[in-house]
Amino acid sequence: MPKEAGRQLENALLQSFTHAAAMRAQPTHLDIELTHACQLACQHCYNVDREWTTPRLQEACMSRETLSRVLGEAASLGVMKLGLTGGEPTLYPDIEGVIREAKHLGFWVSLKTHGVLSSRRLHALWDAGLNRIVVSLHGLAK
């Protein structure tokens, strides 16, 4: 099956399961803010902790251990969709590993980013199993 056809089938099944879960009042979606770190300073952003030097970046991130526990608990509750946000979630250490773990647990994974990514990084995220990338654009000027 071609990759695009597989993704379309996956999306259709996810919508069907989401509807069934809603009928049972089961949680279907989890958004996790992985970090407050971001290398931009967008005027619209609610994120006031924009320092992203290495020591601050480590302090501003959810621990990998905590994240794995949360993912496991969410999967056991039947959550199907996982949204990764931040700050800038691509600054989270081992984001590709997080995506691979989430896919292994059965999640449909999306990531919200400011879009300042190299094509190599974008491909690495996609190859890790990312289903959707949401790019935040808030104007034509700075």
Side-chain angles (χ1 to χ4, degrees):
M1 176 182 299
K3 194 171 190 175
E4 183 58 31
R7 289 192 191 277
Q8 289 175 350
L9 177 60
E10 186 178 64
N11 287 339
L13 288 171
L14 185 61
Q15 286 178 347
S16 174
F17 291 137
T18 300
H19 176 72
M23 301 312 289
R24 294 188 309 271
Q26 173 183 340
T28 60
H29 188 100
L30 173 66
D31 284 321
I32 298 178
E33 189 172 299
L34 296 173
T35 179
H36 290 288
C38 184
Q39 67 269 55
L40 302 182
C42 301
Q43 290 180 343
H44 70 274
C45 187
Y46 61 87
N47 185 357
V48 296
D49 185 8
R50 293 189 178 103
E51 284 292 320
W52 75 293
T53 58
T54 303
R56 280 298 284 159
L57 179 61
Q58 295 305 317
E59 293 170 18
C61 292
M62 177 183 287
S63 77
R64 188 67 168 88
E65 181 180 292
T66 299
L67 180 56
S68 288
R69 184 179 51 77
V70 168
L71 291 177
E73 289 177 13
S76 71
L77 290 171
V79 173
M80 295 172 277
K81 294 181 187 178
L82 176 65
L84 302 174
T85 68
E88 174 50 41
T90 61
L91 294 177
Y92 187 83
D94 189 32
I95 185 68
E96 290 88 354
V98 171
I99 294 167
R100 281 190 293 275
E101 179 181 355
K103 291 302 288 186
H104 177 75
L105 290 169
F107 290 104
W108 186 91
V109 184
S110 68
L111 181 134
K112 186 174 182 183
T113 177
H114 55 42
V116 181
L117 304 170
S118 68
S119 61
R120 184 176 59 160
R121 186 68 193 276
L122 183 61
H123 284 286
L125 295 168
W126 195 254
D127 290 344
L130 193 62
N131 294 97
R132 179 175 65 181
I133 295 177
V134 178
V135 178
S136 180
L137 302 172
H138 293 277
L140 299 174
K142 285 184 175 180

